Amino acid sequence: MLTLAALTRDELQRRFAGPGLVLRTGPFRSRIRTDIPHLIDAIALLYADYPVEDDGFADFHLTLRSARGLRRWLRPQVRFNQDGAEPFKPLPLDQAHPMFEWVMNWCVTNKAHSYLIVHAAVLERGGCAVIMPAPPGSGKSTLCAALASRGWRLLSDELALVRPHDLALVPLPRPVSLKNASIDIIRAYAPQAVFGPPVLGTVKGTIAHMRASGASVAAAGQLVQATHIVFPRYEAGAPARLEPVPKARLFMRVADNAFNYPVLGSAGFDTLGRLVERCAGFEFSYGALDDAMAVFDALPGAAP
Amino acid sequence: MNRLPLLVKVLRAPLEAASLSLPEWELLLRQAANADLTATLRNSLDEAGLLGAVPSAPREVLEWAQVVAVRHRRAARFEVDCIGRALDTIHVPLILLKGAAYAMAGLPPAAGRMFSDVDILVPKERIGEVEAALMLHGWAGTHQDAYDQRYYREWMHELPPMEHIRRGNAVDVHHAILPETAAMRPDPVLLRAAARPIPGNDRLWTLAPHDMVLHSAVHLFSEGELHHGLRDLFDLHRLLLHFDAMPDFWAGLPARAVQLQLARPLFYTLRYCARLLGTPVPPEVMALAAAAGRPPAPLLVLMDHLFLRALLPPHPSCADRFTPAALGALYLRSNWLRMPPLMLARHLFHKAFLSPRVKDEPAQAL
């Protein structure tokens, strides 16, 4: 299998400029075109272990180009174009990589309706698979990055893909997006982790992406069954504490975080119902990552 | 017709899909996505018994679109039901137009088709009551600017679009199918008199088959925004194939078009349906439609150049260097057809220089 790291810089550039580079992430193939050198660098760094496909079919089509004309010199911008349509406004050129990650998520959440898609991090260890839905700002990505750097397999930082017929979690391991203070916290916590360059001044402040481990990427084809649904919340100085969530409330809270729940209709209701039925649900508050690691490693089946 | 885009080839003959390579599947699905025809394509392949033979990767993408289409159909039924309940209070029969009519009557164009608003036809003299009843049930008018209000209420054939305050779905209340200011004036009384109830439903009506085709035709061929041009042409193709089985359908179609002053759009419909989609139009019907509605030869040459570009999928692979000009010309033409020249000049001047600038909100899909 051809991986991105196996392509020379010239070959990479040739594909990005010409027919598009078809990158496989989890179950999806994305055809990517771009003329932005620092975006190519970021993709080459963060997606080095991912398969590149040649069979000529892609699910998603992304073109990110720097805006032409005076823009090029005055306030350079990146534009996302999907087959002639531009669904989003341009962003400053140095935000090309965050835009790329965001658009990749957008393609999945807007199109891939063969899954129930929950806005959640997903991690697995020894068959214990945890879905962590959480609104932005709850510390989900920080916890996700910490777990992924301590022996947990990363299935996704953003999108839990639940297959309706058998409730299998389909992995979509991609770089973990860290914001502001979290970046330095995880750099210190996981010195071996590889980061893309920090991007300042996005709508979410400073963003940096942590590369998914090679093992997580290599295991992207291994589906698992969810066992836990955990809602994390960082509270400065708080002890790590798991509190059970009753099933009915669990259902409503996961539904609130499911992007395509209304699109799936009764299939979504049914899938979510069975998922909640088979998972233990918890609220999890923590003040220190080490305490959090201990709690997660003590979940049934997850012992290191 | 080897130069037809892949999507058009497959829509006219689904068997073409049986031998596609994976790169061709990708191109087909990209064209279909831009034309809003992915779910329609899936249904065509399904009807032709070909869905099982589609390679797994493209089939997955087709199924994604089907999930959205199923949800859309469910939401549309709910929305029509709500509108019906609102109009029941004032005993106005609910005549559905276009997408909503196809969906509720289960007509072939409904399979996989999306529409962003529900169009209804009511008597002009009762339009105030209809507006009030809808407002009581949660719909509110958009376009509150004084000029827009006057534009719609005095010159157009519809109220300013109304949106439901909670669901955001839109209903377009028409009292005619063309603006008051247009040169063509199909008499809405004739349309309403011929309307027929949807079998098995005591509340919903559609236009009669001839009128349904003619309304869809006038909409497509006098509308300037042709983003859904191919979809609307495919609607017409499927309606014609469906009504083909009715004994007097073809024989009566050109005469009804003349009666409703819609001979020109009927001519374009039959011409471009046959050319692009291979619709089997009986030669004598084509001759009658041409006699009544064919434009002078030089104009027809021009229209062929414009429509044979604008009716293709809106995808870069289907465009040539004249496509933007063709779309621009048809946009101007649509305004020209809506109003007499002086009025149009005044309207465009107002829109360009006097109307307050508001950000265009994307239409909420059902």
Side-chain angles (χ1 to χ4, degrees):
Chain A
M1 184 182 55
L2 184 65
T3 60
L4 199 140
L7 298 178
T8 64
R9 177 74 190 199
D10 280 354
E11 175 61 12
L12 259 186
Q13 227 147 348
R14 193 191 65 75
R15 293 196 189 202
F16 277 126
L21 177 108
V22 180
L23 186 70
R24 183 162 188 125
T25 52
F28 308 116
R29 287 139 298 220
S30 308
R31 187 180 295 281
I32 305 156
R33 291 184 176 88
T34 184
D35 61 353
I36 303 171
H38 70 86
L39 176 58
I40 299 177
D41 292 339
I43 295 174
L45 175 69
L46 295 171
Y47 289 89
D49 302 325
Y50 290 69
V52 169
E53 301 218 341
D54 274 321
D55 72 354
F57 185 87
D59 306 290
F60 309 133
H61 306 92
L62 294 73
T63 302
L64 284 97
R65 289 196 194 287
S66 47
R68 303 275 153 206
L70 268 186
R71 277 263 170 235
R72 244 173 133 174
W73 315 106
L74 288 178
R75 279 181 51 211
Q77 286 185 322
V78 49
R79 311 173 77 99
F80 163 57
N81 184 307
Q82 185 181 256
D83 270 334
E86 291 198 2
F88 303 114
K89 294 212 167 95
L91 286 179
L93 186 60
D94 55 6
Q95 296 180 22
H97 177 240
M99 187 187 216
F100 168 76
E101 298 289 344
W102 173 50
V103 166
M104 292 273 276
N105 290 339
W106 175 81
C107 286
V108 175
T109 53
N110 269 277
K111 295 173 187 176
H113 298 302
S114 48
Y115 307 96
L116 175 69
I117 306 170
V118 185
H119 185 201
V122 188
L123 295 125
E124 182 259 352
R125 184 167 206 175
C128 171
V130 183
I131 299 176
M132 288 200 291
S138 56
K140 161 189 65 103
S141 290
T142 317
L143 186 54
C144 171
L147 287 163
S149 68
R150 296 287 159 98
W152 284 71
R153 163 156 83 109
L154 175 71
L155 278 82
S156 178
D157 166 47
E158 290 275 358
L159 305 173
L161 305 178
V162 184
R163 208 161 64 176
H165 71 271
D166 60 359
L167 299 183
L169 291 172
V170 178
L172 179 58
R174 300 236 319 272
V176 179
S177 158
L178 293 164
K179 298 179 250 331
N180 304 317
S182 297
I183 300 168
D184 285 333
I185 292 173
I186 295 299
R187 273 190 200 281
Y189 197 75
Q192 80 285 5
V194 176
F195 277 81
V199 179
L200 281 63
T202 77
V203 286
K204 293 174 178 174
T206 302
I207 288 184
H209 285 83
M210 185 188 95
R211 184 158 89 178
S213 72
S216 294
V217 176
Q222 291 171 27
L223 281 47
V224 287
Q225 292 285 331
T227 54
H228 295 76
I229 299 173
V230 177
F231 298 90
R233 197 175 63 244
Y234 171 78
E235 274 176 48
R241 203 173 61 219
L242 274 178
E243 272 182 77
V245 177
K247 295 286 185 196
R249 187 131 50 88
L250 191 58
F251 184 103
M252 294 310 292
R253 290 190 62 182
V254 180
D256 278 346
N257 284 282
F259 287 104
N260 62 348
Y261 179 69
V263 178
L264 295 187
S266 57
F269 178 84
D270 176 62
T271 304
L272 190 49
R274 287 180 294 129
L275 180 72
V276 161
E277 194 56 49
R278 59 161 297 145
C279 286
F282 298 99
E283 302 248 26
F284 176 58
S285 48
Y286 70 99
L289 284 175
D290 278 329
D291 300 348
M293 295 304 104
V295 169
F296 272 74
D297 286 341
L299 290 175
Chain B
M1 281 274 178
N2 259 336
R3 287 171 50 250
L4 284 178
L6 191 52
L7 175 62
V8 177
K9 284 190 197 171
V10 173
L11 287 178
R12 66 185 274 158
L15 268 174
E16 292 269 344
S19 56
L20 296 183
S21 66
L22 276 175
E24 286 171 324
W25 272 108
E26 185 183 304
L27 180 64
L28 175 67
L29 290 176
R30 294 169 79 163
Q31 293 179 352
N34 277 19
D36 251 351
L37 281 168
T38 313
T40 300
L41 174 65
R42 181 208 168 274
N43 281 298
S44 290
L45 295 171
D46 195 17
E47 280 166 28
L50 294 166
L51 201 54
V54 178
S56 64
R59 192 165 69 224
E60 178 97 3
V61 174
L62 291 169
E63 294 306 335
W64 295 347
Q66 178 67 1
V67 171
V68 180
V70 167
R71 186 255 173 191
H72 182 87
R73 176 80 75 94
R74 193 172 62 236
R77 285 178 185 280
F78 179 79
E79 201 64 25
V80 168
D81 209 44
C82 294
I83 296 168
R85 250 176 286 144
L87 296 197
D88 270 358
T89 57
I90 53 169
H91 306 289
V92 170
L94 180 50
I95 303 179
L96 298 167
L97 302 173
K98 298 198 327 209
Y102 310 148
M104 300 308 291
L107 290 167
R113 190 187 189 283
M114 311 288 189
F115 47 93
S116 57
D117 43 25
V118 174
D119 296 274
I120 67 173
L121 179 70
V122 301
K124 190 178 182 189
E125 62 275 14
R126 302 200 60 187
I127 201 145
E129 280 175 82
V130 170
E131 186 176 19
L134 286 171
M135 285 174 82
L136 278 174
H137 285 78
W139 280 269
T142 58
H143 295 77
Q144 296 299 348
D145 165 39
Y147 179 83
D148 284 347
Q149 285 286 327
R150 177 165 171 226
Y151 170 79
Y152 276 103
R153 288 176 196 275
E154 282 186 28
W155 301 333
M156 287 298 111
H157 50 305
E158 58 184 322
L159 289 175
M162 299 179 80
E163 267 179 20
H164 197 274
I165 49 172
R166 275 185 295 112
R167 299 191 297 277
N169 294 327
V171 51
D172 279 346
V173 181
H174 300 253
H175 55 77
I177 59 173
L178 273 172
E180 302 270 282
T181 50
M184 295 183 282
R185 296 295 303 278
D187 185 350
V189 174
L190 292 177
L191 295 171
R192 291 204 315 272
R196 35 187 84 180
I198 291 175
N201 194 311
D202 50 4
R203 180 200 268 164
L204 301 178
W205 297 65
T206 65
L207 297 179
H210 288 145
D211 299 356
M212 208 185 293
V213 169
L214 292 167
H215 175 228
S216 189
V218 73
H219 191 268
L220 174 56
F221 289 103
S222 60
E223 185 64 39
E225 313 251 351
L226 281 145
H227 190 77
H228 285 125
L230 179 61
R231 182 197 73 180
D232 293 353
L233 191 74
F234 195 61
D235 282 350
L236 281 159
H237 169 74
R238 302 198 67 158
L239 283 179
L240 293 171
L241 287 183
H242 178 70
F243 293 137
D244 183 72
M246 267 173 47
D248 293 322
F249 174 72
W250 284 114
L253 186 58
R256 182 65 169 175
V258 170
Q259 189 182 21
L260 291 172
Q261 305 182 25
L262 297 175
R264 179 72 48 93
L266 176 64
F267 171 75
Y268 288 143
T269 297
L270 301 182
R271 182 177 183 83
Y272 299 121
C273 270
R275 283 222 182 171
L276 288 175
L277 297 166
T279 320
V281 180
E284 64 280 10
V285 173
M286 193 68 235
L288 281 172
R294 185 190 174 103
L299 182 57
L300 183 56
V301 171
L302 173 66
M303 285 309 177
D304 280 352
H305 277 291
L306 299 183
F307 280 122
L308 289 174
R309 287 191 170 82
L311 293 171
L312 300 183
H315 187 270
S317 64
C318 308
D320 64 19
R321 64 202 170 99
F322 299 112
T323 301
L327 291 171
L330 286 171
Y331 179 75
L332 288 180
R333 171 181 175 271
S334 73
N335 274 299
W336 186 260
L337 294 178
R338 287 169 95 81
M339 299 178 204
L342 256 181
M343 194 173 188
L344 175 61
R346 199 174 63 153
H347 174 62
L348 293 180
F349 179 83
H350 195 106
K351 280 297 185 191
F353 300 111
L354 302 178
S355 285
R357 301 244 163 233
V358 281
K359 219 176 72 197
D360 281 334
E361 295 290 336
Q364 167 107 19
L366 277 172

